[in-house]
Amino acid sequence: MNNDLRVIISGGGTGGHIFPAVSIANAIRELRPDAKILFVGALGRMEMQRVPAAGYEIKGLPICGFDRKNLFKNIVVLFKIWKSQQMAKKIIKDFQPQVAIGVGGYASGPTLNKAASMGIPCLIQEQNSYAGVTNKLLAKKAEKICVAYDGMERFFPADKIVKTGNPVRQSLLETTASREDAVRSFGLDPNKKTILLVGGSLGARTINESVMQHLDLVRQSDVQFVWQTGKYYHDQIMEQLEKEGKPDNLIVTDFISDMGAAYKAADLAISRAGASSISEFCLIGKPVILVPSPNVAEDHQTKNAMALVNVNAALYVKDSEAPAQLLALAVETVNDHARLESLKENILKLALPDSAAIIAKEVIRLASNGD
């Protein structure tokens, strides 16, 4: 038996797929420092920068999604899928992994399909409460399916499911700063309530509009706001704020590099309902108002949000109603001590710690079974 542990991890497209993938890789390395890990992503997507920045090698496939508006363009897409499968086969042959992991996203389709057809055991990690198309198709070929929510046997064979939770960025859990120090790091007053607004690295138009339409409410409240606009919207928002006057209690930034400090500073967060974000809020016990993005497959963010709302672990505002309702609800909630405590208590009950380590152990077990 070859003692080398060789693992392929495939997928990406968004931070929600990439952060868990890197966390799993780190956990494998912790258990097996000798492990050789290769990522396979989609060319031109976020993983091609983020994975090397985390210290791992990545190969890119020319894969992309189908164009539902222009069917003619899908001739090119079909060629790219075929080409990606040929490339995936060569990558697997050259690297010779004992196990392949798929985290969702375009690249995991051809990579895990080829790995399974070559007799390599496969594990898939489904972050959402509503399974993605790629993972549903791969489930038949996977040996293990790691999930974060109950009831996933609607999508996957029950005997393959392991409830592990979603791995999160370790840096969030390792923040040692006190709330007071975290608040001061944003130039704010530790004696005042603080609301954090995040819409992901690119931003969320609706969350941004909810602030811009209620600058007077921001100004008049005795609350502080830390607002991550996202890179895409930042310049336009700063121009508008220059015209209308930026409230002193509003800190505006395009990107927050230290999310651990931002979460520690916040008494209440406002966020989209991506699976990774939700897992982070559960682990740190952060009261949150979720505004699910309507622009995702199968409206899975609403399903993620409702899994929390139904057990009083989060509040929810529909995307179309957010510009009118979100800010007023946030100010009211952050000033309601009993409600914040109740939300914190209930969301902590949903936390599944050590997810990355549990998945890493499953991966190592599969690799040794395959030898």
Side-chain angles (χ1 to χ4, degrees), residues 157-201:
D159 59 335
K160 295 182 179 183
I161 292 173
V162 187
K163 190 178 175 190
T164 59
N166 286 325
V168 303
R169 294 172 278 186
Q170 276 309 109
S171 58
L172 298 181
L173 306 178
E174 289 161 1
T175 301
T176 53
S178 64
R179 178 193 172 273
E180 287 71 23
D181 288 345
V183 172
R184 282 197 188 96
S185 73
F186 289 96
L188 295 171
D189 181 351
N191 297 312
K192 291 189 171 183
K193 296 285 189 184
T194 304
I195 294 174
L196 171 70
L197 301 109
V198 281
S201 53

Side-chain angles (χ1 to χ4, degrees), residues 8-11 24 99-105 108-109 111-113 116 121-127 131-148 152 155-157 160-167 359 362-363 366:
I8 272 183
I9 303 178
S10 185
I24 293 166
V99 62
I101 304 167
V103 295
S108 61
T111 308
L112 265 74
N113 263 321
C122 296
L123 175 148
I124 59 180
Q125 200 250 331
E126 175 54 64
Q127 291 105 16
V133 175
T134 304
N135 278 350
K136 280 194 275 193
L137 293 171
L138 291 171
K140 296 183 190 81
K141 298 173 180 182
E143 309 273 328
K144 290 285 175 193
I145 301 162
C146 297
V147 303
M152 296 304 284
F155 309 108
F156 303 129
K160 295 182 179 183
I161 292 173
V162 187
K163 190 178 175 190
T164 59
N166 286 325
I359 295 168
E362 291 289 343
V363 169
L366 276 183

Side-chain angles (χ1 to χ4, degrees), residues 309-342:
V309 173
N310 291 338
V311 290
N312 299 315
L315 302 178
Y316 154 75
V317 175
K318 199 174 172 185
D319 186 83
S320 59
E321 293 167 1
Q325 298 175 11
L326 181 60
L327 257 280
L329 175 64
V331 171
E332 180 194 320
T333 304
V334 83
N335 286 311
D336 184 339
H337 180 74
R339 194 176 205 185
L340 284 184
E341 284 303 305
S342 165

Side-chain angles (χ1 to χ4, degrees), residues 218-289:
V218 171
R219 216 175 262 114
Q220 288 155 19
S221 72
D222 193 31
V223 175
Q224 306 169 131
F225 297 82
V226 177
W227 176 21
Q228 180 188 282
T229 61
K231 291 187 192 311
Y232 186 76
Y233 300 102
H234 188 253
D235 291 347
Q236 178 198 342
I237 283 167
M238 292 313 288
E239 266 176 47
Q240 261 180 285
L241 285 172
E242 216 165 285
K243 282 180 204 155
E244 298 182 38
K246 184 181 83 64
D248 294 336
N249 56 338
L250 180 66
I251 299 294
V252 187
T253 179
D254 63 336
F255 182 73
I256 298 170
S257 53
D258 188 352
M259 282 306 295
Y263 283 157
K264 189 60 82 80
D267 298 284
L268 175 71
I270 292 171
S271 171
R272 288 304 200 189
S276 280
S277 298
I278 285 180
S279 295
E280 290 171 357
F281 296 132
C282 291
L283 281 163
I284 60 175
K286 188 58 57 184
V288 62
I289 302 176

